[in-house]
Amino acid sequence: MLIDFIQHFGSSFITALGFSVLYNIPRRTIVPAGFTGGVGWTVYFFLTTYLSTQGFLATIIASFCIAFASQIFARRLRAPVIVFTLPGLIPLVPGGMAYNMMRAFVEGETLLGFQFATNTFLTAGALALGLSINGAFFQLISSRNIFNRGSKYVP
Amino acid sequence: MELITSKVLDVCSGIGRLMLENGAETYRVEDTVYRVAVNYGMQGVSVFSVPTALIITVQDQTGQEYTRLHRVTELKSNLGIVSEANTLSRKIAAHELSPNEALTELDLLNRQEPTYTAFEEILAAGLICAFFTIIFLGNFDDLIAAGILGAAGYAIFLYSLKVINIRFFSELIASFAIAWLAVLLRFIGIGDDINIVILSSVMTLVPGKAITNGIRDLMASHFISGVSVLADAFLTAGAIGVGVATVLSFI
């Protein structure tokens, strides 16, 4: 069990680190970004494999954890949150599924394609939902003047 | 037009264009530009942005309205610059920079070189693809094959992007090459499950980020940019799917 966790944490750490290089984020933030990715995927892996949670719920929880870690790193290292969330989401993001969907459509297996399409959109929706929940949560606890929040320009 | 208003519009459109070009989400761009304009004392500011254009309207103190439109054609992912632009907007919000100083800093940012060399990027692509096999529950043989293929595929993608400059076509070529090389490596005896190997190797090209960002834009009620980002994601996924399926239908 422990060796599983080390393997999955390590590999998701490296993939997030690699993507942070591809996205050209500043050198001092690539290790925290990799760490964010490792945390997110490990939470997802633990929930789906050992607690057999539904994929949708597990994705929401994992993306919430990613966003939470990113907010903390962003405050510590004085960088925008997006620098940590984008590489951190990479192991969870449904890119592989989108590819599988298109491949199934091209190869003529329409039913399989629609199955992948549904999964892709559900996963992406879950990821976005987790991020928004975290954003709302942080606005709630961090804004000093609660009554002025209605005047903000952006959701 | 008064000089100061024109300078402020210069700063606003410069910072917005920089962020859009380097892959920030549209709502972040609109928010930043709005804050910059308000901090320089403009009234009635309204900003509209889609992934390919940016429109800003401001009123100066006399009530005269000015509009500026910026077309964005170049799209890359350089979050380092987004981060720097964010710092710059924070400095402006703290009233530390006059419009002229801000323009100088923007000019410096525009000329900034990418943080990482092409070699580092290709190495990173190889590592990503290698370790995605473990996430997709492959074995050690797959890991080596995907590492080689991922680095090669990304190098081909970068090179063809430089030559042709149409992203979908480059993705098609790269995924086509990856699939052929995967078949070849399997023939030599490297790589176990060809599906896992190919799936891991195309992970650097795949539009996962675009799909998630598209849904996030839709949720933040930025419908036009959300739909256009999703359409882009579908075209990319289609290009990769066609590239791989063409090869796999031969064998």
Side-chain angles (χ1 to χ4, degrees), chain A residues 49-125:
Chain A
T49 314
Y50 291 99
L51 302 182
S52 49
T53 320
Q54 283 293 313
F56 187 72
L57 187 63
T59 315
I60 293 182
I61 295 173
S63 85
F64 181 83
C65 293
I66 290 170
F68 196 80
S70 312
Q71 294 270 14
I72 290 171
F73 280 131
R75 270 150 211 241
R76 278 280 156 78
L77 298 170
R78 302 204 156 272
V81 186
I82 183 182
V83 163
F84 303 102
T85 43
L86 269 190
L89 287 175
I90 283 297
L92 287 167
V93 125
M97 263 185 242
Y99 150 76
N100 270 334
M101 166 187 86
M102 274 308 183
R103 203 181 125 194
F105 278 133
V106 171
E107 285 173 347
E109 300 177 48
T110 318
L111 270 181
L112 190 66
F114 275 116
Q115 197 183 328
F116 277 125
T118 324
N119 274 336
T120 308
F121 277 100
L122 276 182
T123 313

Side-chain angles (χ1 to χ4, degrees), chain B residues 21-34:
Chain B
E21 269 181 3
N22 290 300
E25 309 102 305
T26 45
Y27 68 84
R28 186 182 305 275
V29 175
E30 289 187 1
D31 186 39
T32 309
V33 172
Y34 178 80

Side-chain angles (χ1 to χ4, degrees), chain A residues 23-25 82 93 95 101 103, chain B residues 25 79-80 116 206 208 234 248:
Chain A
Y23 290 153
N24 262 307
I25 78 172
I82 183 182
V93 125
M101 166 187 86
R103 203 181 125 194
Chain B
E25 309 102 305
L79 293 183
Y116 304 95
V206 128
F234 264 101
L248 289 189

